[in-house]
Amino acid sequence: MGILKPDYRFNSILEISVPFLKEKGIEGLLLDVDNTLAHHFSQTPIEGLEKWLKEIAAAGIKTLILSNARSSRVEPFAEKIGVAYTPKAMKPLPFRAWSSCREMGVKSKNTAIIGDQLFTDMLCGSLSGTTKILVTPMHEETGRLFKIKRGLERKILK
Ligand SMILES: [Mg+2]
C-alpha cells in the first residue's frame, strides 16, 4: 500500500515550512483545494494561508492549484489568492500533474503534491513521481462514499 501512503504528514498546510521544503529539494508545490486550502465548497481560504503563500513565494518556491473540481469552483478561489490553477485534474492520474509541473518550470522530482486524500492526492504523487505530503482534512465530509473512503484511509495509515 506504499503507493497510497504519504512521504510526510502535517496537521495543516500552514505547518509546512520553507526550511523543510528547501531541505527536501522542493522547488514547486501542487496544491489541493478542498479540505487543504479551504473547507469543502468554501471560497474562503483558511486563516493564515495568504501569509504562508507569501513566504513560499518569497523563497522562490512555485505553487499551482491542482484540483479535481471544475473551474467554476477552482477559478474564483485561485484568483482570490493569486495562484495559477489546473481544474479537472483527474487525480490520481498523473498527466495533469506533469503538465502542471511543466507550467511551473519545475521537474516532478523537485515538486511536492499536498492534499488530504490518499486515493487521489497521494496516489497521484506516486504515479507522477512527486513528493507526497498529506495534511489532515479540516473537516469530515458527510457523504456515504466519503465515509467509506475515510475509513479505508485510516486503516492504511495505521
Ligand atoms: Mg481535498
Side-chain angles (χ1 to χ4, degrees), residues 36-98:
T36 298
L37 302 182
H39 288 268
H40 224 141
F41 305 124
S42 169
Q43 288 291 346
T44 308
I46 54 171
E47 213 185 316
L49 181 66
E50 273 140 309
K51 180 173 170 276
W52 182 84
L53 282 168
K54 269 188 198 144
E55 288 166 11
I56 295 290
I61 297 168
K62 303 279 187 349
T63 50
L64 193 146
I65 287 174
L66 185 72
S67 173
N68 281 354
R70 42 183 125 150
S71 52
S72 58
R73 190 272 181 267
V74 182
E75 186 183 343
F77 183 80
E79 284 183 350
K80 188 185 269 184
I81 61 171
V83 175
Y85 63 97
T86 302
K88 288 191 185 164
M90 301 186 295
K91 293 180 281 187
L93 293 179
F95 309 106
R96 299 264 156 91
W98 285 329

Side-chain angles (χ1 to χ4, degrees), residues 95-111:
F95 309 106
R96 299 264 156 91
W98 285 329
S99 62
S100 299
C101 287
R102 277 198 297 278
E103 195 178 325
M104 290 192 294
V106 177
K107 290 192 175 122
S108 53
K109 69 177 173 77
N110 298 116
T111 298

Side-chain angles (χ1 to χ4, degrees), residues 32 34-36 116-117 121:
D32 173 52
D34 284 309
N35 257 327
T36 298
D116 67 296
Q117 288 196 52
D121 306 306

